[in-house]
Amino acid sequence: ELFRQCLEAEKSVLGEAHPDTLTTMSNLAAAVRGQGRYGEAEELFRQCLEAEKSVLGETHPTTLAIISNLAAAVQYQGR
């Protein structure tokens, strides 16, 4: 849950759309997915994806990586 604490601190200090905040959100989602909490990971990846699209655009490599991670979280849920 250190990622979650870090994420909340970064949101307060840097803002929700700051690249560092988005990286931490993605890292949290990956950690949650690694724990088998796929639904929670999906929601975090979706939040991160929307912000990444706004900040970096739909074709930026980071945005595309988030899409891939989101797809994996959905696939692990059998959808």
Side-chain angles (χ1 to χ4, degrees):
E1 294 304 313
L2 291 175
F3 276 131
R4 194 172 301 279
Q5 291 172 6
C6 186
L7 177 61
E8 293 309 314
E10 286 180 346
K11 282 181 179 179
S12 295
V13 174
L14 302 174
E16 292 192 19
H18 190 279
D20 290 348
T21 304
L22 298 176
T23 297
T24 300
M25 184 183 295
S26 178
N27 289 341
L28 171 60
V32 167
R33 185 184 65 196
Q35 295 173 344
R37 295 160 40 197
Y38 304 122
E40 186 178 350
E42 177 184 354
E43 178 58 32
L44 287 166
F45 280 129
R46 286 191 188 280
Q47 291 174 20
C48 192
L49 177 60
E50 291 310 309
E52 292 284 3
K53 283 181 180 179
S54 296
V55 174
L56 300 174
E58 292 189 15
T59 59
H60 190 278
T62 302
T63 304
L64 298 175
I66 296 298
I67 292 170
S68 176
N69 288 329
L70 172 58
V74 170
Q75 181 181 23
Y76 289 139
Q77 295 176 77
R79 299 184 300 163

